[in-house]
Amino acid sequence: MQPLKHQEISDSILAKMEKAVLSSLIKAFPETPKEQFIVEVTKSTQDAFGEYQCNSAMKMAKLLRAAPLQIAKKIVEVLSVEDEAIESCSVAGPGFINITLRPEFLASYVTKMLRSKKFNIHAAKRKKIVIDFSSPNIAKEMHVGHLRSTIIGDCLARVFEFLDQDVLRINHLGDWGTSFGMLIAYSEKLNLDEKLELMSLSELVAMYRQAKTLFDEDADFKKQSQLAVVALQGGDKRARAIWHLLCEISKKAYKEIYDLLDVRLIDRGESYYNDRLGSTVQDLEEKGLVTVSNGAKCIFLDGFITKENEPLPLMIQKSDGGYNYDTTDMATIHQRIFEEKADHLVYVTDAGQSLHFQMVFQAALKAKYWDPDKVRVDHVPFGVVLGQDGKKFRTRSGETEKLIDLLQTAIDKAYEIVKSRNPDWSEKEQREVSKALGIGAVKYADLSGHRQSDYVFSYERMLRFDGNTAAFIMYSFVRANSIKRKVGVDVDTLIGNVKIELVHPSEKALALRLAQFPECLDACISELLPNRITDYLFCLAEIFNGFFRDCRVEGSLEQNSRLLLTECTARVLKQGLSLLGVKTVERM
Ligand code: ARG
């Protein structure tokens, strides 16, 4: 992963502080070439030390041949007057610099956020971003791994779209290969072609199991299956028609899940690249990258070895002449860079596929399909979902849980909670809120941990109203709105007419946190980590609760200024949740 810092959002406060530090360095050390400066600014860990902290002096002692303390003092002299946002800065410890912002600056920053639809966030440049996510396999059920890919991929897509990037959401369905030969041959053998039309995905999965058993036991059937693959690839009419049916049945089942999750995808499965596989292999051969090993065409790459210390190849053509997952991904990366003209490729799959992608990327580099100076390419790996027993998540029967059931259970459990909290509501409202809460809880729980960690799936925990959960954030939004409602002033009329005053420390803390929304999004996209957003929202909601505890809104002298802070909080919470794919409700 190549973190691109502040490429997309240049007007965050953090980016502003970095700019101020850089120009102070240039002024304080005019003899040093500008490229050599190390600009390091972070958020402060403690409020008492100001809002931001600069660690550049520590990092540049060697370069400038001076003690960090001396360097820090020189930086501070310039920095304290460098930017209108800075109230003061001071040196701490061996050479840290603490930066305190002017409350007026924070207040006007929040006002600007309120005045623009997109919180005054401007993305640097519109780029084409291809996000490959979800990508289940036809004639199989979607499993929790695909759920994670769907939720994480959708969140990243939403953030990029919010930043006005040109996003292509691709569902790289596993819709090609040997298993289809098996199904096509099996359907012929058992005369199922007619019945197929009415089958559900579960029936298809059962049929696949039977076909596979036969395939493993019966040499004749194996042969027929292989011929069926050839027929399919050659465009045989019946084979294509059956294959098409299999895809339709599966996609219908997936659609139910996507609709429930409110996720959009463009279906472009492995079959899409079929016509390009031959020419891809040929091209790689012509470039001298291919070695034949045990009859298979392989690309050997530096640094990839098996457990037995043997070189590990990327196999682009099997010894029987067939193409595979690796071949398809080579054709895919080429298509996305050259035809889609992507600036950034993102692949969201479980961490088990990391090696595959590292090899594909390196092969693409060697084949000159990918120029890292021009295109950013990321595999976005994630960990496993565990059951309460700490083992891979499964249902009682031992089968991998069907996703649709899992989502429905979350909604049902949310319904119990919503109903007991609000017995007087109409059934319709109870159902609506339960759906938002149930689905929101599943998504939030998935996104709120570091994506590479495994996590334990617990309905009970994800539906809690306290802690880092969807319910807590959704509820904070409801609360902010109810405060506004109670005061009864039309907040929109205050924006731009009433000045935000930050007097109480809780007001300042809230304004600071709100103003850090752009840098939270910047961190999310540079590291491709959705939990940067959940962490941010959780902290914002807690600070908002502190503000509400400490600062009376209704009837206070500061009422209107505080209403504006409340309004901005409500908007940021709603927007933040929407980037996670979580819906807000009016009451809970
Ligand atoms: N179908 C694959 C799976 O279920 C994921 C595909 C990911 N995308 C890709 N371009 N390889 O594991």
Side-chain angles (χ1 to χ4, degrees):
M1 179 132 347
Q2 321 135 34
L4 295 187
K5 265 187 96 195
H6 316 305
Q7 285 276 310
E8 319 294 341
I9 305 167
S10 51
D11 42 9
S12 71
I13 300 183
L14 184 60
K16 189 174 168 64
M17 289 302 110
E18 286 177 342
K19 273 180 220 140
V21 167
L22 180 62
S23 65
S24 304
L25 284 167
I26 294 169
K27 282 183 194 155
F29 304 97
E31 302 83 43
T32 310
K34 179 170 148 185
E35 310 72 50
Q36 294 188 10
F37 290 124
I38 302 168
V39 176
E40 192 181 291
V41 182
T42 58
K43 266 181 269 184
S44 279
T45 40
Q46 281 180 47
D47 293 350
F49 299 148
E51 289 80 30
Y52 289 85
Q53 177 182 313
C54 165
N55 308 328
S56 293
M58 322 290 289
K59 302 263 153 141
M60 292 192 309
K62 228 182 179 170
L63 171 74
L64 299 170
R65 287 199 215 94
L69 194 63
Q70 284 342 99
I71 300 172
K73 279 184 180 157
K74 280 185 94 170
I75 300 175
V76 162
E77 263 173 43
V78 195
L79 183 60
S80 50
V81 291
E82 184 61 39
D83 197 291
E84 88 285 357
I86 297 174
E87 180 163 87
S88 64
C89 42
S90 60
V91 183
F96 297 109
I97 299 167
N98 293 328
I99 304 171
T100 302
L101 298 175
R102 283 175 48 227
E104 299 77 22
F105 165 74
L106 282 177
S108 73
Y109 197 96
V110 173
T111 305
K112 261 199 232 149
M113 287 173 73
L114 277 167
R115 288 179 102 155
S116 78
K117 247 207 193 124
K118 293 217 167 181
F119 304 91
N120 209 31
I121 293 171
H122 305 285
K125 192 179 152 222
R126 188 169 161 90
K127 295 192 187 132
K128 174 104 181 219
I129 304 174
V130 176
I131 310 186
D132 174 322
F133 68 106
S134 193
S135 311
N137 302 315
I138 298 294
K140 294 190 185 144
E141 296 283 0
M142 233 196 237
H143 57 66
V144 247
H146 297 124
L147 175 68
R148 287 213 76 181
S149 174
T150 307
I151 292 173
I152 296 169
D154 179 56
C155 168
L156 296 175
R158 282 170 188 264
V159 178
F160 281 118
E161 282 156 358
F162 177 68
L163 298 173
D164 290 321
Q165 305 298 304
D166 181 6
V167 178
L168 195 55
R169 301 159 156 258
I170 290 193
N171 202 358
H172 191 83
L173 296 153
D175 64 354
W176 210 239
T178 6
S179 50
F180 295 95
M182 245 152 39
L183 284 163
I184 292 166
Y186 193 78
S187 175
E188 174 149 52
K189 195 177 167 76
L190 274 79
N191 247 326
L192 295 174
D193 284 16
E194 308 268 280
K195 293 203 188 104
L196 220 47
E197 217 149 327
L198 298 170
M199 273 195 193
S200 68
L201 180 54
S202 311
E203 287 165 323
L204 208 60
V205 171
M207 173 173 151
Y208 176 78
R209 263 197 223 111
Q210 291 154 6
K212 176 83 173 79
T213 312
L214 197 61
F215 183 87
D216 292 335
E217 287 167 358
D218 183 334
D220 273 350
F221 181 68
K222 193 170 178 175
K223 186 93 214 130
Q224 283 156 17
S225 302
Q226 281 158 350
L227 287 174
V229 177
V230 177
L232 176 64
Q233 287 179 342
D236 172 79
K237 242 179 152 189
R238 177 192 159 257
R240 281 288 164 126
I242 300 293
W243 170 79
H244 187 74
L245 257 182
L246 300 175
C247 291
E248 288 312 304
I249 295 166
S250 312
K251 285 183 195 172
K252 204 173 130 207
Y254 305 152
K255 185 174 183 303
E256 250 183 90
I257 295 167
Y258 295 140
D259 285 350
L260 204 49
L261 292 172
D262 190 23
V263 170
R264 285 176 298 109
L265 277 149
I266 293 172
D267 288 338
R268 192 186 280 177
E270 294 176 15
S271 60
Y272 182 86
Y273 306 91
N274 181 46
D275 294 342
R276 305 158 195 259
L277 302 180
S279 56
T280 302
V281 171
Q282 197 188 341
D283 179 58
L284 294 167
E285 281 184 298
E286 278 165 16
K287 289 186 169 140
L289 300 174
V290 177
T291 312
V292 177
S293 168
N294 293 328
K297 291 184 184 164
C298 298
I299 301 179
F300 288 96
L301 301 154
D302 293 340
F304 291 96
I305 45 170
T306 64
K307 276 196 211 102
E308 291 76 33
N309 237 350
E310 301 281 336
L312 180 70
L314 184 77
M315 193 194 288
I316 54 164
Q317 193 167 11
K318 295 187 286 183
S319 53
D320 66 6
Y323 303 117
N324 58 18
Y325 195 56
D326 293 351
T327 327
T328 307
D329 264 326
M330 288 307 293
T332 303
I333 198 168
H334 185 277
Q335 195 274 340
R336 289 180 188 169
I337 294 176
F338 288 90
E339 284 174 43
E340 299 302 340
K341 306 216 178 324
D343 299 293
H344 188 177
L345 302 184
V346 180
Y347 299 80
V348 188
T349 79
D350 62 289
Q353 297 197 38
S354 293
L355 190 62
H356 164 76
F357 284 107
Q358 294 325 313
M359 293 181 85
V360 167
F361 298 165
Q362 225 195 79
L365 192 69
K366 280 184 106 173
K368 302 218 159 25
Y369 293 176
W370 171 38
D371 175 355
D373 289 334
K374 297 204 178 109
V375 179
R376 180 179 171 185
V377 174
D378 286 301
H379 176 226
V380 174
F382 53 79
V384 182
V385 184
L386 304 170
Q388 299 283 0
D389 56 2
K391 296 200 187 116
K392 232 177 154 180
F393 191 80
R394 277 163 210 281
T395 50
R396 262 173 281 161
S397 63
E399 291 280 299
T400 309
E401 169 121 20
K402 258 170 89 179
L403 271 197
I404 196 84
D405 298 341
L406 179 140
L407 296 175
Q408 195 52 53
T409 309
I411 296 173
D412 294 346
K413 291 196 187 267
Y415 178 68
E416 293 309 317
I417 297 171
V418 171
K419 206 172 143 170
S420 75
R421 283 173 71 103
N422 311 287
D424 52 319
W425 285 7
S426 70
E427 169 86 12
K428 183 168 170 276
E429 187 173 1
Q430 286 171 344
R431 292 279 172 201
E432 268 167 22
V433 172
S434 310
K435 188 171 163 196
L437 178 59
I439 297 295
V442 172
K443 290 188 181 183
Y444 196 95
D446 199 292
L447 297 169
S448 57
H450 189 289
R451 64 173 153 71
Q452 274 182 272
S453 316
D454 299 343
Y455 77 94
V456 176
F457 192 94
S458 156
Y459 291 114
E460 189 260 327
R461 187 161 356 117
M462 67 178 65
L463 285 165
R464 269 190 211 152
F465 271 62
D466 55 355
N468 191 8
T469 63
F472 179 65
I473 315 290
M474 287 167 76
Y475 189 70
S476 303
F477 169 76
V478 168
R479 200 153 169 223
N481 274 343
S482 79
I483 294 168
K484 282 167 25 196
R485 237 189 334 260
K486 214 166 146 221
V487 178
V489 173
D490 179 2
V491 185
D492 286 339
T493 62
L494 304 179
I495 299 169
N497 293 321
V498 168
K499 237 176 119 197
I500 295 179
E501 306 276 355
L502 305 175
V503 182
H504 194 285
S506 296
E507 289 174 312
K508 195 176 172 193
L510 181 58
L512 172 68
R513 201 63 197 155
L514 289 168
Q516 284 171 338
F517 186 47
E519 59 198 62
C520 144
L521 298 187
D522 212 357
C524 169
I525 52 171
S526 62
E527 302 164 289
L528 302 173
L529 286 179
N531 67 307
R532 295 283 178 243
I533 299 180
T534 54
D535 289 349
Y536 169 83
L537 292 177
F538 179 43
C539 182
L540 174 63
E542 287 198 309
I543 289 176
F544 175 66
N545 283 343
F547 157 81
F548 192 57
R549 179 194 60 222
D550 300 337
C551 304
R552 191 159 59 90
V553 179
E554 196 185 2
S556 68
L557 269 179
E558 303 85 353
Q559 172 183 290
N560 288 349
S561 160
R562 289 177 177 171
L563 268 180
L564 287 173
L565 287 173
T566 306
E567 170 70 6
C568 194
T569 306
R571 289 190 193 177
V572 171
L573 288 173
K574 187 181 174 77
Q575 183 63 55
L577 285 172
S578 131
L579 295 176
L580 304 173
V582 178
K583 296 205 159 78
T584 44
V585 292
E586 281 313 308
R587 36 181 208 165
M588 267 175 91

